[in-house]
Amino acid sequence: MQYRKTVTLKDGRECVLRNGTEKDGQALPDIFNLTHAQTDFLLTCPGEGDMTVEQEAEFLRGKTESVSRACVSPAIMV
């Protein structure tokens, strides 16, 4: 499913909400490890993600090709 929406944040910056694509395959484990290292309030720890970069890319490709499911990623434009 293709999804793209731009919203304006309270501070005036724009944030693009879009579906993740195969090209984001490396970014998912990177952000997973970053966010999980910053808090003790998540169920998993950094490095506990069990998908390879190739598996993440395949997962995102499947969501992009789906007619009813999406994996939405935010990107703040600076």
Side-chain angles (χ1 to χ4, degrees), residues 6-15 76-78:
T6 302
V7 296
T8 302
L9 303 176
K10 289 181 182 180
D11 64 4
R13 292 181 296 165
E14 288 188 341
C15 178
I76 297 176
M77 312 311 282
V78 287

Side-chain angles (χ1 to χ4, degrees), residues 31-45:
I31 198 70
F32 176 93
N33 289 323
L34 176 67
T35 56
H36 285 68
Q38 294 176 346
T39 183
D40 293 328
F41 299 103
L42 296 172
L43 296 176
T44 54
C45 296

Side-chain angles (χ1 to χ4, degrees), residues 7-66:
V7 296
T8 302
L9 303 176
K10 289 181 182 180
D11 64 4
R13 292 181 296 165
E14 288 188 341
C15 178
V16 176
L17 303 172
R18 64 170 179 80
N19 63 294
T21 65
E22 273 185 273
K23 295 177 184 177
D24 298 315
Q26 179 61 55
L28 280 180
D30 290 347
I31 198 70
F32 176 93
N33 289 323
L34 176 67
T35 56
H36 285 68
Q38 294 176 346
T39 183
D40 293 328
F41 299 103
L42 296 172
L43 296 176
T44 54
C45 296
E48 286 188 353
D50 59 354
M51 292 175 72
T52 66
V53 172
E54 293 78 18
Q55 289 170 324
E56 294 282 5
E58 178 65 22
F59 171 80
L60 291 171
R61 185 182 65 74
K63 296 298 180 200
T64 300
E65 293 175 356
S66 171

